[in-house]
Amino acid sequence: MYGYSGKILHVDLTTRKTWVESKPEEWYKIYIGGVSMASRLCWENIEVGCDPLSPGNPICIANGMFAGTPVPVGGKYGLASKSPLTGFIGDSLSSSWFTIALKRAGWDGIVIHGASDDWVYVFIDDDRVEFRDASQLLGLGTFQTEETIREELGDDQVRSATIGPAGEKLVRVASVTNDSRQAGRTGHGAVWGSKKLKALSVRGTHGVSVADPDALLQLSYDITQAAQGPHTQKYRILGTMANVLNLNRLGILPTRNYQQGVFEYAELISGEYLHEHYHVKTIACAQCPIACEQMSQVKDGPYAGAMTGIDYEPLYAVGSNCGVKDLRAAIKTIDICDRGGMDAMSTGVTISWAMETFERGIFTKEDFKCAKYPEGFEPNFGNAEAVVTLAEMIRDREGIGDLLAEGSKRASAQVDAERGTETWKWAMHIKGLETPGYDARGLKTFALGLAVGTRGACHNRTAAYDPDIKGEVDRFSVDETRGKLAKSTEEYAAVYDTLPLCKFIRRCFTGKADRAGAWPAIAKLINATTGWDFDYDAVDLIGERAFTIKKAFNIREGWTREDDHLPWRWMHEPMKEGPSAGYVVSEEELEYMKDLYYEAKGWTKDGLIPKEKLIALGMDDVAEEIGV
Amino acid sequence: MPKVVVEFYGTARQVTGQKEVTIELKEGGTFRDVVRALAARYPKLVGDVIQPGGEELQMPNMFNVNARRVVHDLDTQPQDGDRILLMFVTAGG
Ligand code: SF4
């Protein structure tokens, strides 16, 4: 087989045993890699119905066929476990050197089972596996853990995926980090922490063989050339931070826990302002000719020295969404999250829930006592120091941070049970995963895409904002096209997440980002890598299969139609001001769109998958278990 | 004579050094005339934001009128007083 080794490595932390599984080529043609293969491995290896923080929940890593080849932006891997936030599939992507090392070590995927009694890190040295004591790494931040392991092993080519203090403390919004990139969402860090796994380190020394090296080199060269032009200028210059002013102007920039869609200080937290005042350099993932990550540093004030990469999604969460107008505090908060190993999006949105709960008089100053502020503090919206402090408290599970570390769904449920309140009405999550940086009341196709998302409220797993923002449909209303659009956009995104290729390359094949523009070129890349004969239709099926295996996983874990919901606020409180003023996504609109979506997918009215549908996708064993 | 305001974001703002500009159109002037006027006034927009030739926007830049609707046909006419947002939106990160 070209492009793959055909081997999956299994590592059992309980027994400290390892074994190798060989998969047939047909299996690879269906699940490909990235989030699809990682989710499939999770389907095969989980104890169904297990607690996500128990030994029965495996850590599943799947490489991509393009990792370690010249294909631009192909250095990504998928990570899947049952999410401790949602109880459903938690599939994330990360990129860069770690995935290349894994490929060069000769593994298409890794499955980590069980749980260790003592803190360990696992070192994969080509085909040798070592369980190493991690006690000296405890408490270290993510970046420092990676460096310390390199020093300990005496090899700067060793690449590690690590957790920070948050993962060690089973913070449910904890992430996994490698090469300063995060598999950020759905709480993977807590799963690793529950297994006492501090890091997975890899040294890979083999080459990667592909079917047609000359063709692959030429195709890659052409795409790389295109990636230097206007198709990627928006990513190269301001990165995703360009969104702040655009979304603010459209009235959909989440502000003060989504109470507003317009932030009066948006200019001060914009990409333009960041670039002028705090930007120090732009960096790239390995294998990437675009380089979108805006490294930013605070040079003065109480947070001087804080430095990390700033993207739009973490920034809205700890910025406008918490009423914070001081970019220095926002950079500091994201720095705490990145080093502490936490998803800054879920952290910020959980903090904004706490701020609103305080402003409504349910939490008081007393609730916010901590070592730094023994008398407590008042986390009103806009109190930047409160946001910084709360991020630290969540990371350390200190004081109220212990509650917030559970994420907004569990935290609100606990407060409501104890105090007889209804704080769940402003807990902004779907299936337990906190909402992203677009207020869906002004983007109704996107609202559907988020509601039906298998991993909860995720902007990366659906591209349904696209027709809304590009004006292909009226973003303020619903109609019969939305079911098909949600299907089409989620499966489009899933093709990229499965190969995986960074989506920012999508215009560089022919100038057009749509299927017609990209799929034939992607088919050529696949064929030159593997020797297969993929065409447009085969590429298109990658996305449908990826979404189907994730959905199947959720169904087996107890998913029902009611789980495809939206936060109460988006359905009952109209936007107050700006271009999206007056809009909600009503119950009737959502249920109508869900009907359309299930129909478009070929599922039942209850959202279940017919057996014949699964068999047609080549998933006969899945049909046996959950098909109807 | 209709007047419109073009608001600049992202690259367009960096290139022009301005947040917005007022453009006066001839009676019956179209969105394409707005593109032409921008290309003439800010030649550096041609390339990353406006296509060479100065007649079309460079994908994925777009005109959004009053934050309510996207312009699909540059040969249609704006209304007097329209605010035209020259923007792109990108997800991810
Ligand atoms: S465009 Fe950005 S996120 Fe994508 S691979 Fe390059 S640096 Fe990484």
Side-chain angles (χ1 to χ4, degrees), chain A residues 1 4-10 21-45 60-63 65 108-111 498 532 534 542 545 549 617-619 621-622:
Chain A
M1 224 181 339
Y4 296 97
S5 67
K7 291 188 303 182
I8 309 288
L9 174 66
H10 290 259
E21 182 186 10
S22 297
K23 292 285 191 189
E25 194 160 6
E26 282 314 305
W27 186 87
Y28 285 94
K29 284 186 179 174
I30 291 174
Y31 298 107
I32 307 286
V35 298
S36 183
M37 191 197 290
S39 300
R40 170 70 204 198
L41 289 171
C42 212
W43 165 273
E44 291 178 12
N45 290 286
C60 302
I61 291 175
N63 231 319
M65 67 173 80
D108 297 327
I110 311 277
V111 181
T498 294
W532 298 343
F534 268 45
I542 293 172
R545 285 173 165 146
I549 187 64
L617 290 171
M619 301 181 178
D621 62 330
V622 178

Side-chain angles (χ1 to χ4, degrees), chain B residues 1-6 21-31 34 41 65-66 77-84:
Chain B
M1 298 246 273
K3 268 190 205 166
V4 295
V5 175
V6 180
V21 62
T22 301
I23 290 176
E24 208 164 308
L25 293 167
K26 288 198 195 110
E27 222 40 73
T30 64
F31 287 102
V34 176
R41 193 144 166 184
V65 184
N66 303 320
Q77 294 170 14
Q79 303 287 307
D80 184 40
D82 273 349
R83 295 191 74 85
I84 303 174

Side-chain angles (χ1 to χ4, degrees), chain A residues 229-231 233-235 237-240 242-243 245-247 249-250 267 272 275 311-314 345 438 459-460 465 469-472 475-476 504 507 579 583, chain B residues 7-15 19 47-49 58-72 83-93:
Chain A
H231 302 310
Q233 53 95 358
K234 59 179 181 173
Y235 306 120
I237 297 173
L238 293 182
T240 53
N243 280 357
L245 292 183
N246 292 329
L247 298 183
R249 193 61 183 84
L250 296 176
E267 289 280 349
E272 289 82 346
H275 201 262
D311 281 315
Y312 168 70
E313 293 290 338
M345 292 172 68
Y438 309 74
H459 64 292
N460 269 328
Y465 46 79
I469 287 177
K470 288 187 185 150
E472 289 162 18
R475 67 185 174 100
F476 301 109
F504 293 172
R507 267 190 188 81
Y583 291 100
Chain B
E7 298 181 17
F8 295 130
Y9 297 99
T11 316
R13 186 186 284 193
Q14 285 189 312
V15 168
K19 290 186 180 170
D48 278 348
V49 180
Q58 186 72 265
M59 287 282 285
N61 293 280
M62 61 188 176
F63 280 155
N64 183 310
V65 184
N66 303 320
R68 299 284 312 188
R69 81 182 167 85
V70 174
V71 177
H72 296 297
R83 295 191 74 85
I84 303 174
L85 324 181
L86 174 49
M87 60 172 25
F88 55 75
V89 173
T90 165

Side-chain angles (χ1 to χ4, degrees), chain B residues 44-61:
Chain B
K44 282 192 181 160
L45 284 177
V46 178
D48 278 348
V49 180
I50 296 173
Q51 289 188 18
E55 297 270 317
E56 301 272 351
L57 290 176
Q58 186 72 265
M59 287 282 285
N61 293 280

Side-chain angles (χ1 to χ4, degrees), chain A residues 73 181 283-285 288 290-292 502 504:
Chain A
V73 305
R181 305 302 289 182
I283 60 169
C285 301
C288 172
I290 301 173
C292 75
C502 175
F504 293 172

Side-chain angles (χ1 to χ4, degrees), chain A residues 41-305:
Chain A
L41 289 171
C42 212
W43 165 273
E44 291 178 12
N45 290 286
I46 195 169
E47 280 174 22
V48 179
C50 72
D51 179 336
L53 299 181
S54 72
N57 188 16
I59 295 167
C60 302
I61 291 175
N63 231 319
M65 67 173 80
F66 301 134
T69 74
V71 177
V73 305
K76 282 179 114 65
Y77 68 95
L79 173 63
S81 290
K82 184 175 177 179
S83 163
L85 279 173
T86 68
F88 295 127
I89 190 76
D91 57 302
S92 288
L93 279 170
S94 183
S95 44
S96 223
W97 298 106
F98 173 80
T99 190
I100 296 171
L102 199 58
K103 185 72 170 255
R104 293 173 70 90
W107 303 110
D108 297 327
I110 311 277
V111 181
I112 300 178
H113 307 258
S116 175
D117 288 334
D118 306 306
W119 281 96
V120 288
Y121 75 94
V122 171
F123 177 37
I124 299 172
D125 191 7
D126 283 336
D127 48 11
R128 196 173 60 84
V129 180
E130 230 182 284
F131 297 87
R132 296 180 67 100
D133 175 25
S135 52
Q136 76 290 2
L137 301 172
L138 290 187
L140 295 186
T142 53
F143 307 157
Q144 213 187 334
T145 301
E146 221 177 313
E147 271 317 310
T148 308
I149 290 173
R150 265 198 277 269
E151 277 163 27
E152 187 177 303
L153 295 173
D155 185 347
D156 63 6
Q157 295 302 308
V158 171
R159 303 291 170 173
S160 301
T162 71
I163 61 169
E168 290 171 26
K169 294 199 162 62
L170 309 189
V171 169
R172 283 183 197 259
V173 300
S175 56
V176 168
T177 302
N178 64 280
D179 307 293
S180 83
R181 305 302 289 182
Q182 283 87 23
R185 308 226 67 197
T186 70
H188 292 286
V191 175
W192 288 41
S194 73
K195 298 183 180 310
K196 290 198 163 69
L197 178 68
K198 177 68 177 168
L200 181 60
S201 303
V202 186
R203 175 163 53 200
T205 61
H206 304 302
V208 175
S209 53
V210 299
D212 188 343
D214 293 341
L216 194 65
L217 209 56
Q218 186 58 50
L219 291 164
S220 303
Y221 178 79
D222 295 343
I223 299 165
T224 302
Q225 289 292 102
Q228 318 286 323
H231 302 310
T232 59
Q233 53 95 358
K234 59 179 181 173
Y235 306 120
R236 283 183 280 118
I237 297 173
L238 293 182
T240 53
M241 282 293 292
N243 280 357
V244 174
L245 292 183
N246 292 329
L247 298 183
N248 191 56
R249 193 61 183 84
L250 296 176
I252 50 175
L253 176 69
T255 301
R256 299 182 179 86
N257 198 35
Y258 297 80
Q259 293 183 87
Q260 297 156 283
V262 179
F263 187 43
E264 65 275 30
Y265 302 112
E267 289 280 349
L268 294 178
I269 61 160
S270 65
E272 289 82 346
Y273 195 90
L274 180 87
H275 201 262
E276 203 176 325
H277 294 90
Y278 304 109
H279 179 256
V280 283
K281 64 174 172 175
T282 306
I283 60 169
C285 301
Q287 222 174 304
C288 172
I290 301 173
C292 75
E293 196 172 5
Q294 311 298 313
M295 287 302 288
S296 304
Q297 186 178 30
V298 181
K299 293 171 189 122
D300 58 4
Y303 311 124

